[in-house]
Amino acid sequence: MNIGDASFRSGVSAKMIRYYEQIGLIPAAARTAAGYRDYADADVHMLRFIARARDLGFSISEITELLDLWRNTDRRSADVKALAQARVQDLRQKIMHLKEMADTLEELARCCAGDDRPDCPILQNLGTRSDPTQANRRRRMQKPMTIKERLIS
């Protein structure tokens, strides 16, 4: 099937399919005599797998690990479970950070009179370094560990 059909059947855009091929996430598609990409049902299945993993928040490097485990019939389910549990931990941490940010913004909005005067505690707070979310910014600046790095440590 051509890339348009594979895209429709997998729910992955043709542009993303080409990108996944380019970065080596999926193997290069077979080619027809005319040079067009030719995908098999197994390729569509793999694209659906990738799409579902992306929907669950896995990064490209994590999806590479998952695909390696998926292809390895000698894998241990414990390895797959560890990847999933690490993803859950990351999501819970992101939720916590988002809640902290929302709470801070909510408090700032509560302190603002919202009238015709020019003074605004929201703008004043954003201009200070004592912002309670500053620690969050520092954490975001750090390079996140891959799931494999977290499993080893």
Side-chain angles (χ1 to χ4, degrees):
M1 78 189 77
N2 65 29
I3 195 167
D5 293 336
S7 172
F8 178 77
R9 291 180 60 196
S10 67
V12 176
S13 72
K15 183 177 180 177
M16 287 306 294
I17 294 172
R18 286 187 205 96
Y19 173 70
Y20 292 157
E21 213 175 280
Q22 178 187 354
I23 65 170
L25 186 61
I26 62 173
R31 298 284 181 153
T32 65
Y36 293 105
R37 286 175 172 87
D38 188 25
Y39 295 93
D41 288 335
D43 297 320
V44 170
H45 186 66
M46 182 173 21
L47 289 167
R48 285 182 186 148
F49 179 98
I50 292 168
R52 181 67 177 137
R54 292 293 290 167
D55 288 345
L56 292 173
F58 287 99
S59 69
I60 295 294
S61 63
E62 292 166 340
I63 293 172
T64 299
E65 292 178 55
L66 287 168
L67 284 169
D68 289 345
L69 288 166
W70 187 47
R71 292 178 187 125
N72 180 359
T73 57
D74 294 330
R75 70 181 169 266
R76 295 174 348 115
S77 65
D79 296 336
V80 181
K81 183 176 182 175
L83 288 172
Q85 288 174 322
R87 170 74 1 232
V88 168
Q89 182 181 1
D90 286 346
L91 290 171
R92 295 210 187 285
Q93 188 173 17
K94 284 181 183 182
I95 290 167
M96 182 183 72
H97 290 251
L98 288 170
K99 184 178 179 338
E100 288 172 2
M101 290 168 48
D103 291 347
T104 299
L105 286 172
E106 193 172 63
E107 180 61 28
L108 289 172
R110 197 175 9 259
C111 293
C112 182
D115 55 21
D116 292 334
R117 294 181 299 155
D119 60 316
C120 177
I122 298 170
L123 295 177
Q124 290 169 355
N125 185 276
L126 292 175
T128 65
R129 306 252 321 134
S130 63
D131 180 4
T133 60
Q134 187 174 357
N136 292 341
R137 269 188 246 112
R138 279 194 300 274
R139 281 183 283 221
R140 282 190 304 241
M141 298 298 283
Q142 296 172 349
K143 181 181 178 264
M145 290 194 309
T146 65
I147 290 176
K148 190 178 281 184
E149 290 169 335
R150 275 181 273 155
L151 293 174
I152 294 171
S153 64

